[in-house]
Amino acid sequence: MSGMPGERVHRLRHSLEVAAPAGAVFALLADTARRPLYSPHVVHVERLDFDGVRERLRVWESAGGRIRSSLLVRVQHPHERRIEFVQLGRETPVDSLSGEWTVEEIAGGRSVVTVRHEFTVAGDRDDDAAGEGLVTGDNARAELESLRRIAESRAGLDDLVLSFEESVRVHGPGELLFDFLYRAADWPGLLPHMRRLDLTEPSPGVQILDYDVRLPDEAAHTGGSVRLCFPHAGRIVFKQTVPSGPVAAHTGEWSVLPDEHGVRVIAQHTVLLDESALRAALPEWGKSATGPVSPSVLELARRRVRQAIGRTSLAILELAGQHAESSVRSLPRRAAVTAGSLP
């Protein structure tokens, strides 16, 4: 990597030992689509192109309390268990950032995963370099720890991840459907489970949600989400920043899809279950907390999470449909549904 002439290159290196085979850890790192599930700071990733080795991505991430977007080029070297990356179009003060992930096999079926970063800052200012180093280092440590936790799970990743969707067909303008989904600040009072929702928009199309909800067991939960809004595409993608219960990570998308029969409004969800939280809940289900999380327990957890989130999604979709079909911009009074999770 090269910066402007005279600029210092700042280097960071973070490593963590993982009680899992190197091949399994590398497979996690190579799985671009699931990166928001195991990277706490990554909100959303869209693959722009991929030739089997080199991929170009648009990445939205949380950095220093802000949501920023950049292009990321990654080159995978599977036989070396190494992934090079270069970020393009970075926001100031960072001029350039690149690095690599490596996974090394060690004795006992364990591995060491390492991420290295190199960056330069405009004007080579010490304060800017220190700030970027702090953010990059915090994110690297959090991502490594999350990778370790998932890779060391007794249950496989495919058992801990579930994806599903709810949809409603609406005979009304797609613009009004999107309008309702976009104006989430109007949801309290319409959804019985939604007690409070504060929404800020620090930059166009980026929404930060903070809310209080009632969970299916009547417990109160304070949560948060980041939403990225794409009005021209009829899409809102989101990631929960404060998941609850057995959910370790939750991402998804609201989308409005016109067709020859009207409009479909869809809520898609991808959830990563927290194995340690499931184990803590085993006594409530008549199981020993020291025992393994069996396939039957995983299936029960998947079903409960699917039902809770699905009820919430369907309630919001039905309200959106009522809003659009009324052809007026006044919201319906209330949805008679008991819902369970988060926007």
Side-chain angles (χ1 to χ4, degrees), residues 106-231:
I106 58 176
R110 304 173 69 88
S111 57
V112 174
V113 57
T114 300
V115 58
R116 298 175 176 84
H117 291 89
E118 296 184 353
F119 66 91
T120 63
V121 297
D124 206 21
R125 291 182 289 269
D126 288 340
D127 288 348
D128 289 338
E132 180 63 23
L134 181 63
V135 169
T136 301
D138 286 347
N139 286 345
R141 285 185 288 270
E143 188 165 11
L144 285 168
E145 179 57 34
S146 181
L147 278 167
R148 182 197 63 75
R149 186 175 62 252
I150 296 171
E152 292 180 355
S153 298
R154 296 184 187 180
L157 182 62
D158 288 339
D159 291 326
L160 294 174
V161 173
L162 63 152
S163 298
F164 56 92
E165 70 176 42
E166 303 286 349
S167 68
V168 170
R169 179 158 302 276
V170 178
H171 299 287
E175 294 82 2
L176 289 180
L177 283 168
F178 186 86
D179 175 70
F180 181 87
L181 297 174
Y182 181 83
R183 294 192 293 110
D186 292 330
W187 293 355
L190 302 173
L191 293 163
H193 78 292
M194 183 69 66
R195 302 296 182 82
R196 176 190 63 86
L197 191 151
D198 296 327
L199 185 153
T200 58
E201 197 161 355
S203 59
V206 176
Q207 295 182 338
I208 309 297
L209 277 60
D210 179 74
Y211 44 78
D212 295 327
V213 295
R214 187 182 72 244
L215 301 178
D217 61 2
E218 298 300 319
H221 172 69
T222 296
S225 296
V226 176
R227 306 203 314 172
L228 307 173
C229 304
F230 306 95

Side-chain angles (χ1 to χ4, degrees), residues 9-65:
V9 177
H10 302 270
R11 295 179 173 85
L12 301 174
R13 180 182 184 277
H14 297 86
S15 295
L16 192 65
E17 186 172 319
V18 181
V25 176
F26 182 82
L28 276 173
L29 288 170
D31 191 346
T32 298
R34 289 177 170 173
R35 192 179 176 204
L37 293 178
Y38 67 72
S39 298
H41 67 286
V42 176
V43 176
H44 181 58
V45 175
E46 294 196 354
R47 178 182 278 170
L48 305 178
D49 54 60
F50 182 49
D51 63 7
V53 175
R54 181 184 184 276
E55 60 184 342
R56 192 166 57 96
L57 312 166
R58 170 66 70 178
V59 180
W60 288 262
E61 60 183 339
S62 174

Side-chain angles (χ1 to χ4, degrees), residues 1-2 38 73 100 113 115 149 173 230 242 251 264 287-288 327 339:
M1 181 192 72
S2 61
Y38 67 72
V73 175
E100 67 175 6
V113 57
V115 58
R149 186 175 62 252
F230 306 95
V242 189
T251 64
R264 285 182 67 219
K287 310 284 185 178
S288 169
S327 297

Side-chain angles (χ1 to χ4, degrees), residues 264-287:
R264 285 182 67 219
V265 57
I266 303 170
Q268 297 172 300
H269 302 273
T270 299
V271 174
L272 172 67
L273 297 177
D274 185 336
E275 189 178 41
S276 61
L278 291 178
R279 185 168 287 106
L282 287 178
E284 300 176 20
W285 301 343
K287 310 284 185 178

